[in-house]
């Protein structure tokens, strides 16, 4: 009898110890704390924005009690360097912890859904902004440019700043229409465009147009104080460029790194909307001003390095090199510089 009791107790003890050991070995959300990135191999972030892959971003995950967590989306929501979700409840199922959360304010609602396991955080983000004047599709009409003073020569005796503004305003729209049809500002903060992806080659220098709608998450926007801040995702754009076989590498490029650094806070795009009357649609003039363009001066040497030294601008028969050499000086004395697109609303 004693042997039987001892045997039963021993079996129960083994079962108890084994079950405790299983619990101890089980990963807890507290073990998953850290920053997850779309470029990391140790803490992988699988991020989707509007159900489309979104690269070049990171999310900070932190759980104190293993039951809830704080998630910080870094540079994911347009106009926000960080979007914080606090006290997000974690639901466990077969060692996978899932969560659903929402962050809402006066201008937008951010819905969050995802899961986390050891080494990988999956996050789906859906954003909806309140209606604004830009939130529609705009068809390209022409290009408009103003550059003051007008008499600073970029090519001595041949081309000054006023001449550049006039030429671009007269011919820029016609040229750009070969590559761009329209631009749309969506309610999720995305900017999409209908563009021509055709590539000229030596065998086919004038290919037929290949009009495509740009992918989501190449660029986002945020409207504040009547300024539209545009956030280009350089990594996503270069990935799209490679997909279109335009011939640009997505590798390390100092110009891209500098551009990304300069534009981290968003590109300030000013806009003026003229309300349509009767059958006439709304019109918009979206432009960059001298403040931003002067800040891009460090890019001029890189751009100059891409242009052959003997290159001449077609039709004008003006060499490009003097323009590049004199452009920094022209920007230094510039008092007003506006360059942008004039578009009409597509109802």
């Amino acid at each position: 009898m004693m042997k039987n009791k001892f045997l039963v107790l021993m079996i129960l003890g083994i079962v108890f110890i084994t079950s405790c050991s299983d619990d101890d070995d089980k990963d807890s959300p507290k073990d998953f704390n850290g920053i997850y990135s779309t470029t990391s191999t140790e803490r992988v972030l699988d991020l989707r924005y509007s159900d489309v892959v979104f690269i070049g971003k990171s999310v900070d995950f932190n759980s104190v009690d293993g039951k809830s967590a704080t998630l910080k989306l870094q540079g994911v929501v347009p106009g926000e360097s960080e979007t914080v979700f606090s006290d997000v409840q974690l639901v466990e199922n077969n060692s996978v912890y899932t969560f659903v959360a929402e962050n809402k304010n006066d201008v937008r609602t951010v819905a969050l859904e995802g899961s986390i396991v050891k080494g990988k955080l999956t996050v789906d983000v859906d954003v909806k902004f309140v209606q604004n004047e830009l939130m529609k599709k705009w068809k390209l009409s022409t290009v408009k440019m103003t550059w003051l003073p007008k008499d600073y020569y970029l090519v001595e005796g041949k081309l000054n700043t006023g001449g550049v503004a006039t030429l671009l305003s007269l011919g820029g729209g016609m040229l750009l229409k070969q590559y761009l049809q329209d631009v749309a500002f969506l309610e999720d903060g995305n900017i999409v465009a209908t563009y021509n992806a055709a590539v000229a080659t030596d065998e086919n220098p004038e290919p037929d147009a290949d009009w495509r709608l740009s992918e989501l998450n190449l660029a986002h926007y945020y409207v504040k104080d009547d300024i539209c801040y545009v956030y280009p995702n350089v990594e996503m754009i270069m990935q799209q460029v490679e997909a279109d076989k335009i011939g640009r590498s997505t590798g390390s490029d100092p110009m891209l790194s500098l551009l990304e650094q300069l534009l981290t806070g968003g590109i300030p795009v000013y806009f003026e909307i003229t309300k349509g009357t009767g059958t006439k649609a709304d019109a918009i003039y979206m432009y960059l001003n001298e403040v931003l363009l002067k800040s891009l001066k460090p890019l001029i040497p890189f751009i100059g390095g891409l242009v052959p030294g003997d290159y001449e601008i077609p039709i004008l028969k003006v060499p490009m090199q003097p323009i590049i050499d004199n452009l920094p000086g022209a920007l230094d004395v510039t008092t007003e510089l506006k360059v942008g697109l004039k578009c009409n609303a597509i109802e």
Side-chain angles (χ1 to χ4, degrees):
M1 180 67 70
M2 289 295 294
K3 285 185 177 181
N4 290 339
K5 288 183 178 180
F6 179 76
L7 183 60
V8 170
L9 289 173
M10 186 173 67
I11 292 173
L12 290 174
I14 292 173
V15 171
F16 177 75
I17 292 172
T18 303
S19 63
C20 288
S21 177
D22 289 343
D23 288 340
D24 291 341
D25 292 341
K26 189 175 182 180
D27 288 320
S28 164
K30 293 185 291 184
D31 301 320
F32 304 154
N33 292 346
I35 296 177
Y36 291 75
S37 169
T38 56
T39 58
S40 174
T41 56
E42 295 183 357
R43 291 193 178 99
V44 178
L45 174 62
D46 181 1
L47 176 64
R48 300 179 75 85
Y49 186 107
S50 292
D51 204 31
V52 174
V53 172
F54 197 17
I55 64 174
K57 303 298 178 181
S58 60
V59 175
D60 186 351
F61 178 92
N62 184 62
S63 177
V64 176
D65 58 7
K67 298 178 181 179
S68 63
T70 297
L71 285 88
K72 298 178 181 179
L73 279 58
Q74 298 169 342
V76 174
V77 179
E80 302 177 17
S81 59
E82 186 173 80
T83 307
V84 180
F85 292 79
S86 302
D87 195 28
V88 178
Q89 298 302 303
L90 303 174
V91 179
E92 190 268 340
N93 184 17
N94 293 327
S95 298
V96 178
Y97 294 84
T98 60
F99 52 85
V100 177
E102 183 179 272
N103 184 313
K104 186 175 182 179
N105 60 28
D106 292 338
V107 297
R108 69 6 174 214
T109 299
V110 184
L112 193 70
E113 185 175 343
S115 64
I116 189 167
V117 296
K118 187 175 183 179
K120 183 177 181 180
L121 174 63
T122 300
V123 179
D124 292 328
V125 180
D126 285 298
V127 181
K128 184 176 181 180
F129 285 91
V130 298
Q131 188 72 27
N132 62 64
E133 291 183 296
L134 282 178
M135 206 175 284
K136 59 182 69 175
K137 182 183 287 188
W138 301 91
K139 184 177 181 180
L140 176 63
S141 174
T142 187
V143 173
K144 181 181 178 181
M145 183 177 186
T146 303
W147 198 346
L148 300 176
K150 298 180 179 181
D151 56 357
Y152 190 98
Y153 275 92
L154 296 168
V155 180
E156 188 61 38
K158 292 185 178 181
L159 184 65
N160 58 21
T161 48
V164 171
T166 300
L167 290 169
L168 191 61
S169 297
L170 291 175
M174 186 178 300
L175 179 63
L176 189 58
K177 283 182 179 179
Q178 298 178 33
Y179 303 97
L180 178 68
Q181 279 189 345
D182 53 60
V183 179
F185 296 84
L186 308 184
E187 68 175 3
D188 67 350
N190 260 293
I191 302 174
V192 295
T194 304
Y195 70 102
N196 183 5
V199 181
T201 63
D202 292 338
E203 294 76 17
N204 186 13
E206 296 183 5
D208 293 335
D210 180 14
W211 294 106
R212 301 182 188 180
L213 183 65
S214 62
E215 298 289 338
L216 294 178
N217 300 334
L218 298 182
H220 293 97
Y221 76 101
Y222 176 71
V223 178
K224 181 180 180 181
D225 299 329
D226 296 325
I227 301 174
C228 175
Y229 292 90
V230 177
Y231 300 87
N233 187 317
V234 176
E235 292 186 41
M236 293 283 291
I237 291 172
M238 296 315 300
Q239 187 178 79
Q240 182 65 48
V241 167
E242 189 173 76
D244 289 340
K245 298 181 180 179
I246 295 178
R248 185 69 184 273
S249 170
T250 58
S252 176
D253 188 324
M255 186 173 77
L256 291 178
S257 299
L258 179 57
L259 184 62
E260 192 168 24
Q261 181 181 355
L262 288 170
L263 304 181
T264 299
I267 305 171
V269 178
Y270 295 81
F271 62 94
E272 301 168 4
I273 294 179
T274 303
K275 291 294 183 181
T277 56
T279 59
K280 192 174 182 180
D282 292 352
I284 189 172
Y285 174 38
M286 299 176 283
Y287 62 91
L288 306 176
N289 69 9
E290 65 277 357
V291 176
L292 173 72
L293 296 172
K294 286 184 177 184
S295 73
L296 299 180
K297 278 176 57 179
L299 294 178
I300 294 175
F302 291 109
I303 297 172
L306 300 175
V307 180
D310 58 351
Y311 179 78
E312 286 190 345
I313 300 176
I315 302 176
L316 297 178
K317 299 299 182 181
V318 173
M320 190 66 184
Q321 193 59 50
I323 296 177
I324 294 173
D325 293 340
N326 292 318
L327 188 54
L331 291 174
D332 286 339
V333 301
T334 293
T335 56
E336 181 180 349
L337 177 55
K338 295 180 180 178
V339 57
L341 308 178
K342 297 185 73 174
C343 304
N344 297 317
I346 301 175
E347 301 297 339

